[in-house]
Amino acid sequence: MTTITKRFLILISCVLAAIGVAFLIEVLFSFQSGWQFGHTQIGHVVGWVGFAVILTVFVYSVKKRYGGKAGWPKGWFLVHQVAGIVGPILIVIHAGPHFHALVPTLALLAMGVVTVSGLIGVAVHRKAISLLNAQRKELISQGLSQEDIEDRLFDLASDEETFRIWQIIHVPMVMIFLVLVITHVLGALYLGGL
């Protein structure tokens, strides 16, 4: 078994365990309250907190897109990764294993696709970083200035084909997820209030 296969199996196991624990927490809270947890006041708060955490994911994208060559927003990439896992777990606790309404169910499925594709994106990113580091060593050995090296690496990272293919799936699914979440929130507010 290769290292990549082992990491993939560990990742899948962790994701399934997190989903199972989140569903279990929701079921326990639902059992305590006698009502679906997502429909309780605390359940709504958990949903809003999960949504707020998910929104922090976009700070990295904005910094990366509009930050120019001023450096890689590494700290925000870590926030992006952590929020991309913690937010969906909170949403699963909010939603639970209740699939009685179409829009929230579709939003949950879209969130799952976005999260999994994000995890795949992390793998693609790590491979790209490895390739960039190898390229950096080669450029250093050629005697280029630090500024030239950074410019070439920035251009190389911008042209990464694998990343572009990954974005073709990830970005539209994020947009679909956001539309479904906004539809769900507006519908819930209209039909049930806060």
Side-chain angles (χ1 to χ4, degrees):
M1 187 179 300
T2 66
T3 303
I4 293 174
T5 305
K6 286 180 188 176
R7 285 182 183 173
F8 181 74
L9 291 175
I10 290 170
L11 179 67
I12 293 300
S13 299
C14 290
V15 167
L16 291 175
I19 291 170
V21 168
F23 277 148
L24 182 62
I25 290 170
E26 191 279 337
V27 168
L28 290 173
F29 285 158
S30 293
F31 184 73
Q32 266 186 335
S33 69
W35 185 248
Q36 290 178 4
F37 180 68
H39 293 285
T40 65
Q41 190 171 14
I42 296 171
H44 287 152
V45 170
V46 170
W48 283 109
V49 170
F51 183 59
V53 170
I54 287 173
L55 288 179
T56 63
V57 166
F58 295 102
V59 174
Y60 168 73
S61 301
V62 169
K63 290 258 186 198
K64 187 175 80 170
R65 183 171 309 269
Y66 300 109
K69 294 184 181 182
W72 300 97
K74 292 177 189 173
W76 282 108
F77 185 60
L78 181 60
V79 169
H80 182 85
Q81 291 176 29
V82 171
I85 293 171
V86 172
I89 288 173
L90 290 172
I91 296 299
V92 170
I93 291 171
H94 161 73
H98 309 287
F99 305 109
H100 58 278
L102 181 62
V103 172
T105 301
L106 291 174
L108 197 60
L109 290 172
M111 182 185 71
V113 170
V114 169
T115 303
V116 169
S117 73
L119 293 170
I120 291 168
V122 169
V124 169
H125 176 75
R126 286 194 176 150
K127 182 66 175 172
I129 291 295
S130 174
L131 293 172
L132 286 172
N133 285 335
Q135 183 68 30
R136 178 187 306 277
K137 288 177 184 175
E138 185 179 318
L139 294 172
I140 289 171
S141 70
Q142 292 175 4
L144 294 173
S145 72
Q146 187 63 29
E147 187 177 318
D148 287 339
I149 290 172
E150 291 301 320
D151 285 344
R152 286 193 185 183
L153 291 177
F154 185 84
D155 292 339
L156 181 64
S158 299
D159 293 338
E160 177 59 43
E161 185 63 29
T162 307
F163 187 70
R164 298 284 177 229
I165 292 169
W166 169 79
Q167 281 183 320
I168 290 170
I169 297 167
H170 191 68
V171 173
M173 284 308 300
V174 168
M175 295 306 141
I176 290 169
F177 168 65
L178 287 175
V179 167
L180 288 167
V181 166
I182 291 167
T183 303
H184 166 61
V185 168
L186 291 176
L189 290 174
Y190 178 74
L191 296 173
L194 290 172

